Amino acid sequence: MVRTFLKTGLKSGLLLCTALSAAHAQPFLEGTEEDEEETAIRGGSWFASTNVTATDNYRRLPNVLARFDVDGTTGDITATEVGIEPIENVVISSTIKGSTFVRSKSLTGFITGTVRVGGYAQSTDDNAELIANTMPAAPYPNMPNADGSFSTFGLAEPDDFFIIPDIVGAATKELSEGRWYLDMSALAQERTLGRPSLINRRGSTPGLDTVTFVGGSLSPYLYREYADQQVLEVRTRASAIFVANERTALGDEVPGVADFADDDQFANNSLSGELSADYKTGGQFDDASYGVSGYIRHVAEEGSDILPHLYVTEISGRVDAAYMLSSPLKLLAAVGFDDITVNFNDADEAGERRFEEDVNGAFWNVGFRYSPTRKALFELVAGQRYGGPSVEGKVQVQLSPRISFNASAERVFDTGGQRFGRALSGLQSRTRTILTTLTEAKDNFAAEFLDDVVDLSLLGDGLDEEFRSGTFVFNQVSASLTAELRRNTIGGGVAYTNAGAGDIDNEAFNLSVFARRKLSRKLSIHASARYGESEGIGVVTDLFGTPIGTGNRESADQMYRAGVDYRLAERISLTSEVYYAKNDSDGPAATRGPGFDFDETAIIFGLRWAF
């Protein structure tokens, strides 16, 4: 155990040092007279930490799990749900976390997120330990006896060494002054398969049944401004989201236990190409302005050996009008049409989601935009689109340099994979706002605050990952408030997401709050709480992992954290934290596999270096 502990710690430290040597460390905000014209804002806050985590359920196993008893004489396999005792372990990990933002004459961009590496101090045979402590007792030992009979839970052994990426970036580069531009984005992120992501993103260890996505987009475009504020934009965009790695809970120890082997792929890759054009009349018509836009996109989501492949072609056009009643108030209206074709191959009951007749046709909306100051914007439009009522809007209020409120509502048609990747554009605008509010925050606590705030932008991420396979009409409403005061930092957010597809209706609600207080120049305390609910149709499997149809599932997860930070030096701090997470799921018994119903308590000690 000691040798494994040292080996894991050495691996984590070496990888962390390698990453740090490649990072460009810079203070939160910098700029000189020489580069003032070139760089208007350059900021960021990063820190590295090494943590030791003691957890009472390192694999987040439920209290009830399917055990497989194999009769060596007949070859029969009996599956029985039995009570288990979750497995304890110690996790050693290193993390790099933070954000960097640059805005210059020709480049605006950001990178934000976390990369975590680590391993386990104790190497255990999880199946053997669980078999020894099941109720009722297993009829056979974990290893085959004389006639070849044995009992197992079929769990795949965890990797000795894990890497959890959760990092995104986006930038706009001016290629030709006032004419040609290039938008770029990239991401690497681990997600869960078939269960809510909220706990997995903030848990002590990698979850069961996870997939790592990598991808990005390139979008060259022409943007011209003419007399009277007329604007023409012609844009192309290509995006790709690929499956880089998958980690499954069930191994192939028992034939028939796992629905797919290690060389099979569960999730789909997602590829998209699009072309759009947009013209706005600007101030040509005094108090009235108009806009005309068109859009065509093709999406292909394929590569899975389990899920159906998906192909979507979307054509849309619209005309917008705005009339200025007064300087801060405008009336808004729009009309347009959507023509969407959805095709599946190898579609089964879980993937049969052809509902283009519901989302096609004309649409309209009316509303207003009110902007009394440069730091306040209120916009709301309501109408009809994608076969139902549509309400969209946004509120952006900078109450002070350190207090901001944001809210938004939208109704969009998209695929699950593309919705995941296209979230980058919203994150970019939020990151700009966040970093602007932190201009004067130059101490070690800026990174922690930024981490909390960026997490708020992911509140709508509570939908089960299974819901991401297919096409949906997404309705989402979210709001967040952040405030950095002299000694206190507080914030919170709430989000509701509905993803509909014909007869399938999935929804999620998430609430998050956090607070941090400086007790002295060296000591601070913090706490956070998160609660999420999701309900909808998921794929139902039998106890052997074989899909047998669909069924309704309700899940509720909650997570609480509280900790203390003590500054040893200007940029070095000791940290300690207590963490508790719980997930409950109601629905067909076969959908409650590993990780659906569990609770975990962990204690974390660490050393953090801000740079």
Side-chain angles (χ1 to χ4, degrees):
M1 176 177 174
V2 173
R3 180 179 299 176
T4 305
F5 185 97
L6 293 174
K7 183 179 178 181
T8 302
L10 180 60
K11 285 183 177 179
S12 300
L14 287 175
L15 188 54
L16 177 61
C17 290
T18 301
L20 286 176
S21 65
H24 176 60
Q26 53 184 330
F28 177 74
L29 185 71
E30 63 179 31
T32 63
E33 294 182 0
E34 289 78 5
D35 64 8
E36 185 175 1
E37 293 184 1
E38 175 62 23
T39 304
I41 297 178
R42 180 190 301 146
S45 187
W46 289 83
F47 67 86
S49 63
T50 297
N51 296 309
V52 177
T53 303
T55 170
D56 66 352
N57 189 0
Y58 89 105
R59 298 197 69 172
R60 297 181 208 137
L61 295 173
N63 294 324
V64 177
L65 193 61
R67 186 189 68 213
F68 307 96
D69 303 318
V70 182
D71 189 325
T73 59
T74 64
D76 292 338
I77 303 174
T78 303
T80 307
E81 287 192 337
V82 298
I84 66 168
E85 287 291 333
I87 304 171
E88 300 177 353
N89 212 326
V90 174
V91 184
I92 306 114
S93 62
S94 296
T95 301
I96 298 178
K97 180 185 297 185
S99 293
T100 292
F101 177 83
V102 175
R103 179 184 293 164
S104 68
K105 184 178 179 180
S106 61
L107 177 69
T108 298
F110 80 97
I111 181 171
T112 184
T114 302
V115 177
R116 185 180 179 207
V117 299
Y120 309 104
Q122 184 176 357
S123 179
T124 63
D125 185 336
D126 293 345
N127 285 291
E129 184 168 338
L130 291 172
I131 289 297
N133 295 284
T134 60
M135 292 296 291
Y140 310 118
N142 180 240
M143 300 301 293
N145 59 19
D147 64 6
S149 299
F150 66 97
S151 295
T152 183
F153 287 92
L155 294 176
E157 290 301 317
D159 298 332
D160 293 332
F161 187 68
F162 61 80
I163 301 176
I164 305 178
D166 185 10
I167 191 163
V168 296
T172 298
K173 172 67 175 176
E174 185 179 51
L175 302 177
S176 175
E177 185 173 357
R179 182 169 298 185
W180 292 101
Y181 298 83
L182 176 65
D183 282 355
M184 303 163 282
S185 66
L187 63 85
Q189 197 170 80
E190 182 177 278
R191 315 281 287 192
T192 54
L193 291 170
R195 55 188 58 94
S197 292
L198 183 62
I199 290 178
N200 189 70
R201 296 177 63 86
R202 302 287 291 181
S204 61
T205 63
L208 302 175
D209 292 340
T210 60
V211 56
T212 299
F213 289 104
V214 297
S217 67
L218 290 175
S219 179
Y221 60 100
L222 170 69
Y223 182 89
R224 294 296 307 273
E225 293 186 359
Y226 300 94
D228 298 323
Q229 299 177 332
Q230 299 177 74
V231 174
L232 172 66
E233 180 180 308
V234 180
R235 177 186 292 267
T236 62
R237 184 176 184 270
S239 66
I241 305 294
F242 294 103
V243 176
N245 183 53
E246 289 183 332
R247 183 187 299 112
T248 60
L250 292 178
D252 53 6
E253 181 178 352
V254 181
V257 168
D259 180 57
F260 56 103
D262 292 339
D263 56 348
D264 289 335
Q265 181 172 313
F266 184 92
N268 274 317
N269 303 316
S270 183
L271 305 175
S272 172
E274 61 188 66
L275 173 67
S276 64
D278 187 5
Y279 171 73
K280 293 182 174 61
T281 61
Q284 272 193 315
F285 303 101
D286 296 327
D287 294 334
S289 61
Y290 305 92
V292 180
S293 60
Y295 173 87
I296 182 170
R297 177 174 65 144
H298 180 73
V299 179
E301 297 193 349
E302 53 191 6
S304 173
D305 298 300
I306 308 300
L307 300 175
H309 297 174
L310 169 69
Y311 305 93
V312 179
T313 300
E314 181 182 3
I315 302 173
S316 182
R318 64 183 290 160
V319 176
D320 291 271
Y323 182 77
M324 183 181 296
L325 290 179
S326 62
S327 178
L329 180 62
K330 287 185 178 181
L331 297 181
L332 307 175
V335 296
F337 72 92
D338 296 304
D339 185 1
I340 301 171
T341 303
V342 182
N343 292 311
F344 288 87
N345 72 320
D346 301 325
D348 54 20
E349 185 178 353
E352 193 74 29
R353 299 171 185 170
R354 294 185 173 89
F355 65 116
E356 57 264 35
E357 66 277 2
D358 296 327
V359 298
N360 283 336
F363 66 84
W364 61 270
N365 64 55
V366 294
F368 69 90
R369 180 188 297 122
Y370 179 64
S371 183
T373 69
R374 291 187 304 171
K375 296 183 178 181
L377 172 65
F378 305 87
E379 183 175 312
L380 179 67
V381 295
Q384 189 85 7
R385 192 172 189 182
Y386 301 129
S390 171
V391 177
E392 297 184 295
K394 58 185 175 182
V395 177
Q396 297 174 347
V397 181
Q398 193 74 38
L399 300 174
S400 76
R402 293 170 177 260
I403 303 176
S404 62
F405 174 80
N406 292 274
S408 65
E410 64 176 352
R411 178 178 173 87
V412 297
F413 172 88
D414 216 335
T415 70
Q418 286 297 307
R419 176 72 171 170
F420 170 48
R422 291 168 73 89
L424 285 171
S425 60
L427 183 61
Q428 182 175 15
S429 63
R430 280 189 289 267
T431 303
R432 292 178 181 177
T433 303
I434 292 164
L435 284 164
T436 299
T437 66
L438 293 176
T439 298
E440 299 178 5
K442 301 178 182 179
D443 56 40
N444 292 356
F445 299 96
E448 301 151 8
F449 173 57
L450 186 59
D451 176 55
D452 290 327
V453 175
V454 171
D455 279 346
L456 292 178
S457 67
L458 304 170
L459 275 172
D461 195 36
L463 288 174
D464 281 8
E465 295 305 309
E466 178 57 46
F467 302 159
R468 295 183 180 274
S469 173
T471 53
F472 299 93
V473 174
F474 291 91
N475 293 283
Q476 181 166 321
V477 180
S478 63
S480 64
L481 174 69
T482 58
E484 191 199 18
L485 309 176
R486 186 169 179 267
R487 286 182 173 271
N488 302 309
T489 299
I490 58 174
V494 61
Y496 171 80
T497 303
N498 176 277
D503 296 332
I504 297 176
D505 189 42
N506 308 310
E507 58 183 6
F509 168 81
N510 288 288
L511 174 68
S512 178
V513 294
F514 69 88
R516 184 178 300 274
R517 177 172 175 80
K518 294 181 185 179
L519 300 179
S520 68
R521 293 177 60 86
K522 292 186 175 183
L523 185 65
S524 70
I525 57 176
H526 65 271
S528 63
R530 300 164 187 271
Y531 177 79
E533 290 184 354
S534 64
E535 178 181 3
I537 299 296
V539 175
V540 177
T541 66
D542 60 21
L543 291 177
F544 296 96
T546 303
I548 57 176
T550 60
N552 190 71
R553 182 173 69 249
E554 297 181 11
S555 295
D557 54 80
Q558 49 191 303
M559 184 168 54
Y560 308 96
R561 307 175 78 101
V564 178
D565 300 334
Y566 182 78
R567 183 180 300 177
L568 297 176
E570 183 180 358
R571 296 181 178 274
I572 300 176
S573 301
L574 286 175
T575 64
S576 64
E577 188 174 65
V578 177
Y579 157 90
Y580 175 76
K582 182 178 178 61
N583 189 74
D584 292 311
S585 180
D586 295 320
T591 66
R592 298 199 302 268
F596 275 96
D597 298 293
F598 72 90
D599 59 84
E600 178 193 12
T601 302
I603 301 175
I604 306 167
F605 297 96
L607 182 67
R608 184 177 62 241
W609 170 45
F611 61 97

